[in-house]
Amino acid sequence: MSFSRCTLLWARLPAGRQVGHRAAVCPALRSHTAPFPGASGRVSAVACASSSASGGSKTPNTSLFVPLTVKPQGPSEDGDVGAELTRPLDKNEVKKILDKFYKRKEIQKLGADYGLDARLFHQAFISFRNYIMQSHSLDVDIHIILNDICFSAAHVDDLFPFFLRHAKQIFPVLECKDDLRKISDLRIPPNWYPEARAIQRKIIFHSGPTNSGKTYHAIQKYLSAKSGVYCGPLKLLAHEIFEKSNAAGVPCDLVTGEERVTVEPDGKQAAHVACTVEMCSVITPYEVAVIDEIQMIKDPARGWAWTRALLGLCAKEIHLCGESAAIDLVTELMYTTGEDVEVRTYQRLTPISVLDHALESLDNLRPGDCVVCFSKNDIYSVSRQIEIRGLESAVIYGSLPPGTKLAQAKKFNDPDDPCKILVATDAIGMGLNLSIRRIIFYSLIKPSINEKGEREIEPITTSQALQIAGRAGRFSSKFKEGEVTTMNREDLSLLKEILSRPVDPIKAAGLHPTAEQIEMFAYHLPDTTLSNLIDIFVDFSQVDGQYFVCNMDDFKFSAELIQHIPLSLRVRYVFCTAPINKKQPFVCSSLLQFARQYSRNEPLTFSWLRRYIKWPLLPPKNIKDLMDLEAVHDVLDLYLWLSYRFIDMFPDASLVRDLQKQLDGIIQDGVHNITKLIKISETHKLLNLEGLSAESSSRLSGTLKSQARRNRSTKALGSKAAEPLSPAAGGKSLASRLVQQGLLTADMLKQLEKEWMTQQTEHDKERTESGTYSKGTRRKKKDPDSD
């Protein structure tokens, strides 16, 4: 190759590569360049580079770094310039060089200085080796250095800059760790709200137990102010304040995730607004703000909303209502903003007592009783047993639509209605006015999700027990004294112990990354999935002892669900913040379908939605139908939630709201007849009660002796068809007991025997077929191609 050709090719190299490899050129150029640097030169360069590597105060969790794919280079239009400058590489020699490079302890240590722990180093090397071995033509600089190493004109360590460059391509986090740490620095949240910091706010903490009047006094301040905002934990509470305010002659708007209601005829915003806490504005000035249930600032999933409201609301007076356990934390947080906290303490308005005896049997129920369960299956079981005793009960649980909850509460509160018993989950803990005489804990064990997203099965906390028990004997109800007990005698002592404990003070407030922070992360990591971005953000985030990053498993679930759909990052973020119940498949698939329609720029019209949910819907015939209707109601909620974020793509919010009201009525009728639905479900084995599960056995300690537990255990008979109702199996006496208790009728007994005989015949047939198939399988294994 001529000298002029060499010079021309050299001139086409980037300037940085010319300098870095001036010594590693073909022999024709060696006389025109500086001598190759020795070992001291390499050590100096390495030391200099290492000193600039990002250290950081927190070692990142590298298992979250998902490697990107770097494809090998194909044939270049300009030919293999490196081969023209030197010679073609011997792949076998190159492989030996790379293996030697990988095994050097000095290189591994140097990689660690740049954030490549053993796992990342190994992954990066495998990718680097594949890239070099599979590329048709390499970049000139790396081709030349490999050639020089082959001729012993360079040291194997000189590959490190190229290896590091490749590692940063497949792990872009390594390139911008310092920037990512700055973006995810959550140590001074008060600085996020400059409008609030520009005014000196007066903070008043109304502390007291349930039914102490603390919220009443805060609301009176809210109503008497020229402008105000009420921030509540539930849509029901926001609705209640909205109605109460307008009834008092104070025009008030309503803002929830799924609804906007303005009362002024011209559509102008009223001076007062009642909203769910997530929806409060932190830039609108108010005279008075009320933040209800402030102790929820510790909630693993939603605590960030209370933190944001507390630090960010622009109000001259902020009234906080909640448990005394939050006082110390609020005081500390307000100390960082330079604001003082005035504490006003309230005592319960009506007495409440823990009884010395458990209910033990549903035969002992009295008007005004509320049986509190922590699972839907227990709700169904108890409701059915109450109906068998000739009593009528109202039912309230979390997944019911707000309208249905209110209808059931009204039914229970109505003195002229024959319904005198309430069966509910802890959904009654806040947001509903109920005339309860006695709270009966059916169980003291409640599944929960901790800050790490882990499911825990533990006794309810003192705070939860007090919140639920406090619903008995409320000041506004006809029962001026409240009573609390348990279903089972063995649980009573535990309940007394829980209620006697002091409430643990709240230690930290929740935080949540904003869309802007995630966008900045995505700018630095453009090829990283949103779910992985969240993981890396949480891992890199820095918080002080007063805060924690809220659990984001639901967000990540949605992000992974719609990851394959082409959406902009901001739109994807909004879809992922949509509140959905990930346990409901239809709701999850609807989020996916809505996102897919959006990505196609196809508006989700009212007619499209009707076809999608198969409207009109029929009244439920069993519990499964009822749960399906509840899921459809949640899908309509999802549509309405998205309609306020993407009005052009979800244009028919008013029509959908009318449709939702019709569906609410259908669900109300279903819940009104819920015991009938449960009975049908049991008959057709559509209800999977947990009465005999190991988990339930551990949850309801010591209840085997009680009549209620025996009743609940027999409820699972319909799902355990493997046990014959024969005299040999003790079925005759069991059947007699079930008939006497009203759990079985003669017709049901005949049906069960018939079904068991049918299933037994099918089981024997399957076993015969299975044996034949097994023999056939064993024969097929002799054929090597059978798989």
Side-chain angles (χ1 to χ4, degrees):
M1 182 171 60
S2 67
F3 180 78
S4 59
R5 170 66 172 158
C6 267
T7 307
L8 178 63
L9 293 173
W10 176 253
R12 287 161 57 184
L13 284 173
R17 293 181 181 178
Q18 292 176 10
V19 173
H21 304 285
R22 194 169 290 159
V25 219
C26 67
L29 284 179
R30 287 201 187 278
S31 60
H32 298 273
T33 58
F36 179 75
S40 60
R42 284 197 304 277
V43 172
S44 175
V46 167
C48 179
S50 181
S51 67
S52 64
S54 172
S57 58
K58 179 182 176 183
T59 303
N61 178 9
T62 59
S63 66
L64 301 175
F65 300 171
V66 179
L68 303 178
T69 301
V70 177
K71 294 181 179 180
Q73 291 187 176
S76 172
E77 294 180 0
D78 296 330
D80 193 343
V81 177
E84 292 187 47
L85 286 171
T86 57
R87 68 181 180 91
L89 294 172
D90 183 337
K91 293 290 186 178
N92 290 327
E93 288 295 321
V94 170
K95 186 175 184 302
K96 292 177 182 178
I97 291 170
L98 293 174
D99 290 343
K100 182 179 179 182
F101 173 82
Y102 177 73
K103 294 175 182 178
R104 282 184 58 77
K105 298 295 183 184
E106 295 84 352
I107 294 297
Q108 294 178 15
K109 184 177 183 304
L110 189 58
D113 292 339
Y114 282 87
L116 289 167
D117 60 13
R119 173 183 167 275
L120 295 189
F121 183 87
H122 178 74
Q123 285 184 288
F125 174 76
I126 296 298
S127 177
F128 182 60
R129 184 179 63 187
N130 291 341
Y131 173 79
I132 290 178
M133 299 300 294
Q134 297 172 15
S135 291
H136 287 274
S137 60
L138 294 168
D139 289 340
V140 178
D141 49 6
I142 192 169
H143 185 109
I144 292 173
I145 202 70
L146 283 169
N147 181 73
D148 284 356
I149 296 173
C150 289
F151 282 102
S152 299
H155 194 276
V156 68
D157 289 356
D158 291 331
L159 276 176
F160 184 79
F162 304 99
F163 166 72
L164 183 62
R165 182 176 69 192
H166 185 88
K168 289 181 177 180
Q169 280 184 281
I170 68 170
F171 295 116
V173 178
L174 300 173
E175 189 73 74
C176 51
K177 286 191 295 183
D178 288 342
D179 289 336
L180 297 181
R181 284 196 177 94
K182 290 175 183 176
I183 296 169
S184 57
D185 190 340
L186 308 178
R187 287 178 292 187
I188 315 178
N191 290 354
W192 303 350
Y193 309 101
E195 292 88 352
R197 300 291 77 78
I199 61 176
Q200 187 67 25
R201 306 179 305 171
K202 182 179 181 181
I203 313 296
I204 302 170
F205 195 121
H206 300 266
S207 169
T210 304
N211 194 29
S212 60
K214 58 185 183 297
T215 306
Y216 169 82
H217 287 90
I219 293 300
Q220 292 305 115
K221 281 284 187 181
Y222 164 83
L223 294 175
S224 62
K226 295 178 181 178
S227 64
V229 57
Y230 168 83
C231 306
L234 301 171
K235 288 184 284 187
L236 280 176
L237 282 170
H239 271 275
E240 181 183 340
I241 300 303
F242 165 73
E243 292 172 355
K244 184 179 293 185
S245 182
N246 286 298
V250 179
C252 177
D253 292 341
L254 175 69
V255 177
T256 69
E258 301 80 14
E259 192 172 9
R260 310 284 191 279
V261 179
T262 54
V263 295
E264 298 291 350
D266 57 357
K268 183 181 178 182
Q269 291 185 355
H272 287 70
V273 60
C275 64
T276 45
V277 66
E278 286 88 350
M279 300 305 300
C280 70
S281 169
V282 292
I283 58 174
T284 306
Y286 300 103
E287 184 176 338
V288 169
V290 176
I291 305 176
D292 207 356
E293 305 294 348
I294 186 62
Q295 73 276 1
M296 289 190 70
I297 200 169
K298 69 174 181 179
D299 187 88
R302 296 179 65 201
W304 63 270
W306 276 264
T307 305
R308 174 176 172 270
L310 177 62
L311 298 177
L313 281 173
C314 301
K316 296 177 181 177
E317 278 188 19
I318 296 185
H319 293 259
L320 311 175
C321 305
E323 298 174 0
S324 59
I327 292 176
D328 290 345
L329 176 62
V330 168
T331 303
E332 289 179 19
L333 297 183
M334 294 300 96
Y335 178 80
T336 65
T337 65
E339 296 162 332
D340 296 326
V341 179
E342 176 188 339
V343 179
R344 299 178 184 176
T345 305
Y346 301 82
Q347 301 300 320
R348 184 176 168 87
L349 298 174
T350 56
I352 188 169
S353 58
V354 182
L355 301 180
D356 291 327
H357 56 275
L359 189 72
E360 297 195 76
S361 170
L362 295 177
D363 294 329
N364 298 324
L365 286 172
R366 303 197 307 259
D369 279 350
C370 172
V371 182
V372 176
C373 308
F374 293 116
S375 78
K376 268 190 181 180
N377 286 330
D378 285 345
I379 289 273
Y380 299 149
S381 175
V382 172
S383 301
R384 180 77 174 98
Q385 292 179 58
I386 290 174
E387 191 261 350
I388 289 171
R389 288 163 171 77
L391 302 174
E392 189 173 341
S393 63
V395 174
I396 296 174
Y397 51 85
S399 60
L400 285 178
T404 305
K405 290 178 185 174
L406 290 171
Q408 289 291 295
K410 182 178 179 181
K411 175 182 173 70
F412 173 70
N413 289 337
D414 187 354
D416 298 325
D417 194 290
C419 171
K420 303 299 181 187
I421 308 296
L422 177 63
V423 183
T425 64
D426 55 336
I428 64 164
M430 59 182 73
L432 290 169
N433 291 316
L434 298 163
S435 294
I436 299 173
R437 179 203 303 269
R438 180 171 56 172
I439 289 287
I440 301 154
F441 284 94
Y442 193 68
S443 165
L444 295 177
I445 306 297
K446 179 187 177 184
S448 62
I449 303 296
N450 64 18
E451 289 89 345
K452 298 179 181 178
E454 301 165 337
R455 191 170 186 267
E456 295 180 339
I457 306 293
E458 293 182 347
I460 58 175
T461 65
T462 300
S463 177
Q464 292 168 334
L466 289 171
Q467 186 81 24
I468 297 169
R471 308 304 293 180
R474 291 180 65 82
F475 183 75
S476 57
S477 75
K478 63 181 180 180
F479 302 114
K480 302 306 178 186
E481 295 185 10
E483 298 174 341
V484 183
T485 188
T486 59
M487 181 70 192
N488 306 297
R489 185 188 312 168
E490 293 81 0
D491 290 337
L492 189 56
S493 58
L494 177 58
L495 175 63
K496 290 182 178 180
E497 180 188 342
I498 291 173
L499 291 174
S500 65
R501 296 174 191 159
V503 178
D504 294 331
I506 298 173
K507 301 294 186 183
L511 294 174
H512 191 287
T514 64
E516 290 76 18
Q517 288 170 318
I518 298 302
E519 279 183 334
M520 286 190 283
F521 248 59
Y523 173 79
H524 288 85
L525 307 172
D527 298 316
T528 305
T529 66
L530 180 55
S531 176
N532 194 213
L533 277 178
I534 293 297
D535 281 333
I536 296 172
F537 184 97
V538 173
D539 183 60
F540 271 73
S541 63
Q542 301 174 70
V543 295
D544 63 26
Q546 296 173 323
Y547 299 96
F548 67 91
V549 180
C550 284
N551 176 273
M552 300 190 66
D553 282 354
D554 289 348
F555 184 99
K556 286 169 52 187
F557 173 84
S558 297
E560 291 164 1
L561 186 68
I562 65 173
Q563 178 57 43
H564 64 286
I565 298 176
L567 298 168
S568 69
L569 182 70
R570 180 59 70 105
V571 170
R572 190 181 301 278
Y573 182 93
V574 172
F575 267 93
C576 293
T577 54
I580 65 168
N581 183 350
K582 62 184 181 183
K583 295 179 181 178
Q584 293 182 332
F586 184 59
V587 180
C588 297
S589 63
S590 297
L591 178 71
L592 185 63
Q593 185 63 35
F594 289 178
R596 186 176 289 117
Q597 289 283 108
Y598 184 101
S599 70
R600 296 170 182 162
N601 201 30
E602 298 176 3
L604 291 92
T605 62
F606 180 64
S607 58
W608 179 91
L609 187 65
R610 280 172 59 98
R611 290 194 302 273
Y612 177 72
I613 65 174
K614 297 180 173 59
W615 188 269
L617 298 172
L618 299 175
K621 296 179 181 178
N622 50 55
I623 288 296
K624 183 179 180 301
D625 288 349
L626 180 61
M627 295 174 69
D628 289 343
L629 291 177
E630 292 169 8
V632 174
H633 192 280
D634 285 352
V635 169
L636 299 184
D637 258 351
L638 176 62
Y639 182 100
L640 294 171
W641 192 92
L642 291 168
S643 72
Y644 288 106
R645 279 82 181 167
F646 308 112
I647 188 169
D648 293 338
M649 298 300 292
F650 297 83
D652 296 328
S654 59
L655 295 174
V656 172
R657 194 172 303 285
D658 292 338
L659 192 69
Q660 193 181 47
K661 289 178 181 177
Q662 296 179 49
L663 177 58
D664 202 340
I666 297 173
I667 294 175
Q668 285 183 38
D669 292 340
V671 175
H672 180 72
N673 299 313
I674 193 166
T675 52
K676 180 181 178 182
L677 302 184
I678 295 169
K679 185 176 180 180
I680 295 172
S681 299
E682 289 172 334
T683 303
H684 295 282
K685 304 178 183 178
L686 296 173
L687 185 59
N688 179 28
L689 296 181
E690 297 172 340
L692 290 181
S693 69
E695 182 175 309
S696 288
S697 298
S698 63
R699 289 187 324 184
L700 303 175
S701 59
T703 57
L704 287 170
K705 297 180 181 180
S706 68
Q707 181 65 35
R709 176 59 182 271
R710 286 198 301 268
N711 290 346
R712 190 166 67 260
S713 297
T714 58
K715 302 283 278 185
L717 181 63
S719 63
K720 295 187 68 177
E723 294 183 8
L725 292 173
S726 64
K732 186 175 180 181
S733 59
L734 174 61
S736 300
R737 291 202 306 272
L738 293 176
V739 171
Q740 289 174 0
Q741 294 168 6
L743 297 176
L744 277 179
T745 64
D747 291 339
M748 291 171 64
L749 184 58
K750 290 179 181 178
Q751 180 68 22
L752 285 171
E753 290 175 346
K754 182 179 177 180
E755 289 178 0
W756 179 81
M757 292 298 294
T758 302
Q759 291 188 13
Q760 191 71 15
T761 302
E762 292 176 351
H763 179 65
D764 292 339
K765 183 179 178 181
E766 288 174 359
R767 274 197 311 181
T768 303
E769 292 176 351
S770 176
T772 303
Y773 177 76
S774 298
K775 292 176 183 178
T777 303
R778 286 194 293 271
R779 286 197 299 272
K780 285 182 179 180
K781 285 184 178 178
K782 297 177 182 178
D783 181 0
D785 299 325
S786 61
D787 291 338

